[in-house]
Structure formats: C-alpha cells, structure tokens
Amino acid sequence: MTDSEALYLDAAATEPVSRDVIDAMTPFLTDAYANPASVHQPGRTAARALDAARASFASDLGAKPDDVIFTSGGTESDNLAVKGIAMARMRRMGLGGFATGAVSAVSGDAAASGDAAGTAPAVRRPRIVISSIEHPAVSGSADWLARWFGFDVVRIPVDDEAHIDLDALEQALDGEAGERTTLVAMMLANNEVGSVEPIERIVSIAHAHHVPVHVDAVQAAGLIPIRMRDWDVDSLAVSGHKFGAPKGLGALLVRGRTPIEPIISGGGQERGLRSGTQNVAGAVALAIALRRSNTRMAAHYRELVASRDMLIDAVRRVVPRAELTGDPERRLPGHVSFVFPGVTGEALLVDLDARGIACSSGSACAIGRHEIPPTLLAMGIEPQIAKSALRMTFREPLTRVDIERISLAIEESYAALTKR
Ligand code: PLP
C-alpha cells in the first residue's frame, strides 16, 4: 500500500469481494442461471451447484449440509433464529398466548396473571435470555417478542472486558423462570471490542436447563475456527460480507432437532424455513469466500495477531491516555479498539479519514447515528469516555510501515483535537 492510498481499517463493517469469488459466482448469473427448483437439465445443474456450496459451507463451520439455511445476511439470520425458535418453543411449552391455543399477543402483567374480573386465562409468560452486548439484530428481535408476545427479555451483564457473566446466566436459568425460557441468544465475538465469548460454556449451562442456544457468529466467521456441531450449538448466524462475499448474503445454521418457525412464508425452499428462489450465485460466493477466508486465517493468524498487538502498543505509545477496550488476549485477531479520553470518536474518525485512515467509532450500524457504543456502556464505561471510542479492524496483517502511518496519524489527530 502506498502513502497516498487510503488505509482501510473497517473490515468489521464489511470486506471487499475478491476477484476469485466474483469469478466463481459469475457463471451462475450468466450461463448456469436456471432456477434450482426447476426439474430440467439447467435447473439440475443449478441445484447441484447449490448442494456443493451448501456442503462446503457447512463443513467450514463444523456443521452438516442440512443445517444450512441460506438467507440475506446476519440480520435476517438472527431474526429467523430468535423469533423462529422462541415462537416455536413458546408454543411447544404451552407458554403465553399459545397456552389457550390463541395466536394472539400477550403483554403486561394483567395478561400474565389474569385480569381483575378473572376473565383472562392465567398464562405463563415466555422468556428469552440474551446478553447485554448483543447486536440490534438479536436484541431488537427479543424486544419484538416482548412487544407482540409478552416475552420477558433478560439481559445478562458483561464484565469490564465484555465477557458474559456466566454466574448470572446460570442464575437466570434456575428454577421456575428457567422453565419458561425458550432460548438463550449470545454472540461469539463482539463487534465493538472484539472480545470472544466462551460459547461452549454458555451452551453447557443452557443445555443443563434444556434451553437451546443461538449464536451470532457474524463477527467471528472466517476469522476464528467455528465448530458448530462439536460445540453443540443449536443455531448459528453468519454474514457473507464480513468474510469477502457480497453484501446481502448469509446463512442461519440450525439443527434438525431445534424447533423453529419460519418468519417468511412462500414456496418452502430451505427446509421451509426461508422461502424464496435461492440465490445460487450467492451461495457459491459464500462457500468460496468462507473457504478463502479460513485458509488465509490458517496461514496468517499469528502474523495478524502480532500486527494487531504492535498496533495496540503503538497507539499506547503515541497517546498514553488512550485505553484499550475489550479483552487484550481473547479478542479477534485483527481487531483494535480504544477509547481516547478528551475527544469524541466521531471527531477522531473524521480527522483520521482526512488523513487517509478509514476506521469506525464502534459498530457498523451505529455509523450515521453517532450513538454511544452500547457495548462500552454495558462494560461500565462512562458515557463521556465511551463516546471517544475508535475501532480499527483488518483481515490482512499490517506492515510496520502501515502501523507507523496509523500511529502517526492518531498522534497528530489527537493532538490537534485536544488543542482546540
Ligand atoms: N450481528 C453482528 C454481531 C454484526 O456485527 C452484524 C453487522 O455488523 C450483524 C449481526 C448484521 O449482519 P448483516 O450486516 O449481514 O445484516
């Protein structure tokens, strides 16, 4: 990378699509364009490509081909899992509005306990347990369940390194309340600070209480190994544009044993869980991009971690007041996040942008809204400090020259902004 080129440090927001991914998917947009549901020869060719993509994708996530439901990305996958599993389990467990067989919303305490005149039947309210640092695709879906079906939404706190409090999870699943819990939904790696969560322990706690676990692996896929079946995870969401496939592509991996209702109705594609003509070229792109990303990671993991740690040291050197956020070790390999007391992250990122360094102030979805990064607040960081967050994410190891350029830019930006 030459000095004049912008340095892209926002891979957690999205990654470029590489030429080999485009080349692999193109034939399924041009020559082999048939609908994979068609019985004719061209249709069968498309169906074979879809099957092959599914098998490769599943194997790279430690899953079986039948687990894979292709979707439009992380947001849809999280919505399908959280709403679909919670609603299916609510019904099976005889909770909420389904206790009387009625498909109606139950909300508020009156609904839970029967109204004053005793006309409403007493219902046991369904529950969902999430962490306090979930992406809005998960937390918003849980809030939707609360609004429409009267779910209790329990948010498990995190510590100052953004690790989920496992004792609090255990307590949340104990006793009568645990028996009303339809789902535990938690992320594998955090988008704002990169901390990696102990998913296997979360699964073992939840399963001991017979509660399935949905994992949002959007930030982790292609960066750290994912073994869905070995970890005994029930469903897992990934998003293609985080590992080099085009935007608007992703998957929910969901085990056959897990009760789940579709949230999209139609022709019954993808095990009836995601109706709509399948995007064959997109599925091919997902499979190739994930394989490419995993291979790259296997080859460059140590270098990536080393360059991440060099950048962390360099930032600390040029701005001693800056503080690393998240776990210094159990974090994603190309993820650096800091708070810079005395400035706002927004001002810093605008200034850095003008110096050819493209980074972010927190989660991708917060950009444009300039909200205070919610993970930092959940970690107990003061709002004033949390506002000064800056995130730098990359998938290729940085060179020493890159690191010098970034740290010099940060030093100059910070000095300029704190002088004002
Ligand atoms: N979950 C997490 C943790 C994310 O970081 C994101 C996007 O940044 C999503 C879900 C949403 O994924 P998508 O952009 O594919 O809808």
Side-chain angles (χ1 to χ4, degrees):
M1 185 158 299
T2 66
D3 258 12
S4 56
E5 272 181 86
L7 205 41
Y8 182 74
L9 298 177
D10 202 11
T14 201
E15 268 220 85
V17 182
S18 65
R19 178 47 58 190
D20 46 344
V21 171
I22 296 171
D23 288 346
M25 71 188 286
T26 303
F28 300 96
L29 299 168
T30 52
D31 305 330
Y33 53 79
N35 188 323
S38 299
V39 288
H40 45 62
Q41 194 79 34
R44 293 207 301 277
T45 303
R48 274 197 300 277
L50 188 60
D51 287 347
R54 196 186 301 283
S56 156
F57 195 67
S59 113
D60 282 350
L61 294 167
K64 293 263 161 66
D66 283 352
D67 298 335
V68 179
I69 308 296
F70 288 119
T71 67
S72 68
T75 299
E76 183 188 333
S77 301
D78 281 331
N79 270 260
L80 173 56
V82 172
K83 296 175 181 174
I85 297 173
M87 289 195 291
R89 294 247 308 151
M90 168 175 82
R91 182 186 219 163
R92 279 198 186 190
M93 293 160 76
L95 299 168
F98 286 108
T100 57
V103 187
S104 61
V106 177
S107 62
D109 288 343
S113 56
D115 68 13
T119 50
V123 290
R124 291 165 66 228
R125 285 167 75 117
R127 243 168 138 243
I128 179 162
V129 174
I130 64 175
S131 83
S132 56
I133 56 168
E134 292 307 308
H135 186 274
V138 167
S139 59
S141 295
D143 291 341
W144 182 91
L145 290 165
R147 201 158 54 247
W148 289 100
F149 293 95
F151 273 66
D152 288 325
V153 180
V154 179
R155 289 178 159 77
I156 303 297
V158 294
D159 66 14
D160 58 5
E161 290 184 345
H163 290 305
I164 292 161
D165 181 339
L166 298 180
D167 292 335
L169 175 64
E170 181 76 65
Q171 276 165 26
L173 295 175
D174 243 10
E176 188 276 332
E179 286 162 17
R180 289 188 286 118
T181 303
T182 54
L183 182 66
V184 167
M186 299 197 166
M187 53 178 33
L188 173 53
N190 182 262
N191 43 316
E192 291 172 39
V193 299
S195 296
V196 176
E197 303 298 339
I199 285 301
E200 283 175 277
R201 291 178 62 199
I202 290 170
V203 170
S204 86
I205 293 170
H207 283 183
H209 295 271
H210 311 290
V211 179
V213 178
H214 168 65
V215 173
D216 177 340
V218 168
Q219 285 295 334
L223 276 182
I224 56 174
I226 295 181
R227 310 303 311 160
M228 186 202 181
R229 289 228 168 200
D230 291 349
W231 297 348
D232 209 16
V233 160
D234 297 274
S235 70
L236 182 129
V238 294
S239 169
H241 73 106
K242 308 292 185 182
F243 52 79
K247 296 166 188 59
L249 294 170
L252 179 70
L253 281 72
V254 58
R255 309 276 290 270
R257 69 181 186 200
T258 311
I260 177 165
E261 279 291 315
I263 56 174
I264 291 177
S265 306
Q269 290 89 343
E270 301 293 301
R271 279 168 45 198
L273 288 174
R274 209 293 185 160
S275 285
T277 302
Q278 285 118 326
N279 181 348
V280 180
V284 170
L286 279 173
I288 300 280
L290 184 61
R291 178 66 51 92
R292 196 176 170 276
S293 201
N294 280 350
T295 309
R296 181 176 61 171
M297 257 336 114
H300 298 302
Y301 193 84
R302 277 165 194 273
E303 281 172 77
L304 193 60
V305 167
S307 74
R308 174 196 76 191
D309 293 345
M310 271 169 65
L311 178 58
I312 291 173
D313 289 346
V315 171
R316 285 178 165 147
R317 206 170 43 247
V318 294
V319 182
R321 284 183 73 199
E323 276 184 45
L324 183 73
T325 53
D327 190 320
E329 273 145 34
R330 273 190 295 147
R331 70 186 296 133
L332 291 173
H335 194 122
V336 173
S337 56
F338 271 93
V339 284
F340 290 87
V343 301
T344 65
E346 195 190 324
L348 197 51
L349 91 84
V350 169
D351 197 275
L352 287 171
D353 188 34
R355 296 169 195 269
I357 310 285
C359 44
S360 143
S361 62
S363 66
C365 311
I367 286 182
R369 282 191 269 137
H370 303 305
E371 63 177 20
I372 306 176
T375 298
L376 300 190
L377 296 180
M379 289 160 65
I381 296 177
E382 290 298 319
Q384 202 50 38
I385 303 289
K387 263 192 199 163
S388 69
L390 192 80
R391 177 184 78 177
M392 294 173 276
T393 48
F394 38 94
R395 301 294 191 243
E396 298 282 353
L398 300 171
T399 64
R400 280 178 192 279
V401 174
D402 294 335
I403 293 170
E404 267 168 37
R405 188 176 149 198
I406 300 162
S407 52
L408 181 65
I410 290 178
E411 183 176 21
E412 290 176 356
S413 280
Y414 189 75
L417 292 168
T418 44
K419 225 188 301 155
R420 281 180 196 162

